[in-house]
Amino acid sequence: MAIDQSTPTPDARPLKPLRALITGGAGFIGSHLAEALLAQGATVVAVDNLATGRYENIAHLASHPGFQYVFESATNETVMDRLVSESDVIFHLAAAVGVELIVRDPVWTIETNLQATEVALRLARRYRRKLVLASTSEVYGKSAAVPYREDDDRVLGPTTKSRWSYAESKAIDEFLALAYHKQFGVPVVICRFFNTVGPRQSGSYGMVIPRLVAQALRGEPLTVYGDGHQSRCFCNVRDVVRAVVALAADPKAEGEIFNIGSQEEITIQALAARIAARAGSPPEVHLIPYEQAYEKGFEDMVRRVPAIDKIQAAIGWSPTISLDQTLDEVIEHFRLSEGRGA
Ligand code: UDP
C-alpha cells in the first residue's frame, strides 16, 4: 500500500501504487483527502455530483497525472461498479451534510445517505475492496456523557424532529458496514468525524466557522444561535485526513469505529469572539433563537467532545493543529477567495 509502510504486517496487501476511489471527492474533506493521497503517490478517482461539493475544490488537481474526476452521483450503481472494480480502496465520503441542509431537505438527506452507502458496500463486497466509511459525531445525538466513546449508548430525539434523521441515516450506514464486515468479511473502517473544519468548507449548509468568518470579513454582526453556551471541538481537516489515511492502511482497524476529532473545546460565543479578534472585525454578536435559525422545536447538543484514546492506541494519532491556526487559515482562505471575486 502506498500509505504508511513503516510497520508492514503479514496480512497487508501489496497495493502500491494505491488506487483510491473517493466518493464525495469534490467536497471539503474529500478534496483534502485527494491531495494527501496524491502526495503519497496514490492515484485518485474523485466521484462527485456537485450537490454540495464544488469543482473549484479540486480544480487545482485537474492537471495532476494521478487524478481523475468523474461527475456522477455515488448512487449510480452502474458507474460505481466500474469505478470500484478499478480501485483498491473506497473512501466513502459522499453524503448529505450540514444541519441546515438536513432540516431544509430531509428526504434528500435520508435517501442519499442510505442509498450511496448501500451501493458502495455491495460493490466493495463484489470486488473484495476495503471501504472506509465517513460517519459523524451526530450519531451520539444529545447524550450528556462527554467525552463520547465509540461504544457509548446513543441518545436521539423523536422522529418528528428532522435534525435526528441525519444521525439515524449515518447510524444505519454504520450498522450496514459492520454487517457486511461480520457476514461477508468486507474490510470496513468507520471514521466518526467531529466538527471538521478548514479552508474550502462552505457555510452554505450551516457550518459555523465559515459562516462566522465570512460575516466577520464583511463587517457584519456574527450570528450565534441559541445562547452561545453550547460547545464544540473543531479539528483541522489536515489532521483528520492524516488519521483517515493511516486507518485505511492498518488491517487492525478493519471492523472498527474510530472517533476523529480535537479535544480543544470552545463555546460558540467564545468562538465568535475569537474569530472577530483574529479577523480584526468588531466583536458584535447577534443571538438568534434556534427556532428562527432552523425550525420550531429544534434541538441542539450542549457539548460535544470526542474520546480519542482508541485511535491514539491504534495508530498513535492525535491532532497537531490548534484552533487558532485553523481560524487563521480559514480567514486567509476567505480573503483570497474574495480577492478572486468568489
Ligand atoms: N451555529 C451558530 N451560528 C451559525 C451556524 C451555527 O451559532 O451561523 C451553531 C450551531 O447551532 C451549533 C454550532 O454552531 O450549536 C456548530 O454548528 P455546525 O453546524 O458547525 O456543526 P454541528 O455541531 O451542529 O454539527
Side-chain angles (χ1 to χ4, degrees):
M1 197 158 190
I3 44 186
D4 191 11
Q5 300 226 315
S6 52
T7 51
T9 53
D11 51 349
R13 286 179 293 164
L15 292 179
K16 197 177 171 114
L18 182 78
R19 298 171 303 170
L21 173 64
I22 307 178
T23 71
F28 157 57
I29 301 176
S31 66
H32 284 274
L33 177 61
E35 270 173 17
L37 290 167
L38 289 169
Q40 297 200 358
T43 63
V44 172
V45 175
V47 57
D48 202 306
N49 63 355
L50 305 185
T52 55
R54 290 185 297 191
Y55 184 74
E56 68 197 64
N57 287 344
I58 49 166
H60 63 294
L61 301 176
S63 60
H64 193 295
F67 183 76
Q68 191 197 339
Y69 167 59
V70 177
F71 174 67
E72 189 50 80
S73 167
T75 59
N76 183 331
E77 194 153 354
T78 310
V79 172
M80 283 290 290
D81 188 293
R82 178 176 58 81
L83 298 179
V84 170
S85 74
E86 294 169 356
S87 305
D88 301 310
V89 56
I90 308 149
F91 293 91
H92 179 45
L93 273 58
V97 290
V99 174
E100 199 177 290
L101 177 67
I102 283 141
V103 169
R104 210 166 58 209
D105 204 345
V107 171
W108 184 72
T109 297
I110 297 167
E111 291 186 349
T112 301
N113 291 355
L114 299 186
Q115 290 169 4
T117 304
E118 282 173 23
V119 167
L121 283 165
R122 250 196 317 268
L123 297 173
R125 179 190 176 200
R126 181 173 305 159
Y127 295 104
R128 306 209 62 77
R129 301 296 193 247
K130 178 173 281 196
L131 185 137
V132 179
L133 174 70
S135 187
T136 167
S137 54
E138 278 275 325
V139 299
Y140 293 103
K142 51 186 176 177
S143 163
V146 291
Y148 296 151
R149 302 192 169 277
E150 287 84 349
D151 53 1
D152 276 351
D153 287 342
R154 306 165 48 229
V155 182
L156 300 185
T159 53
T160 46
K161 299 192 173 174
S162 49
R163 184 213 176 114
W164 303 115
S165 65
Y166 178 57
E168 289 292 30
S169 65
K170 293 308 292 185
I172 291 288
D173 286 353
E174 290 194 11
F175 276 124
L176 197 60
L178 294 172
Y180 267 83
H181 176 72
K182 183 176 171 186
Q183 224 173 312
F184 305 126
V186 175
V188 300
V189 183
I190 297 172
C191 302
R192 285 187 183 155
F193 299 144
F194 281 67
N195 293 82
T196 305
V197 293
R200 296 185 210 142
Q201 186 175 39
S202 164
S204 308
Y205 312 106
M207 280 75 166
V208 66
I209 287 185
R211 290 174 73 92
L212 299 194
V213 166
Q215 290 163 352
L217 293 179
R218 288 195 299 260
E220 296 169 1
L222 309 192
T223 56
V224 169
Y225 300 161
D227 62 8
H229 291 152
Q230 73 274 29
S231 69
R232 296 291 186 273
C233 300
F234 297 95
C235 192
N236 190 294
V237 65
R238 290 199 313 283
D239 273 331
V240 170
V241 158
R242 191 166 50 81
V244 172
V245 171
L247 288 173
D250 185 352
K252 292 192 298 304
E254 292 168 12
E256 298 289 338
I257 300 174
F258 295 92
N259 289 340
I260 303 179
S262 155
Q263 293 186 310
E264 189 181 347
E265 189 177 3
I266 186 168
T267 66
I268 302 304
Q269 197 172 49
L271 175 73
R274 190 92 71 92
I275 288 173
R278 298 193 89 81
S281 66
E284 197 189 335
V285 161
H286 271 185
L287 290 181
I288 298 179
Y290 282 119
E291 66 174 66
Q292 200 177 313
Y294 298 111
E295 64 181 350
K296 198 165 168 358
F298 180 85
E299 294 179 306
D300 201 9
M301 50 284 291
V302 181
R303 292 180 69 198
R304 181 192 276 159
V305 182
I308 56 172
D309 14 326
K310 183 170 176 184
I311 189 169
Q312 275 172 342
I315 56 166
W317 179 89
S318 54
T320 57
I321 306 169
S322 69
L323 177 60
D324 280 346
Q325 190 179 333
T326 303
L327 292 178
D328 290 347
E329 285 176 9
V330 174
I331 291 166
E332 174 71 6
H333 176 78
F334 268 85
R335 286 204 167 113
L336 287 173
S337 338
E338 273 168 18
R340 288 198 302 267

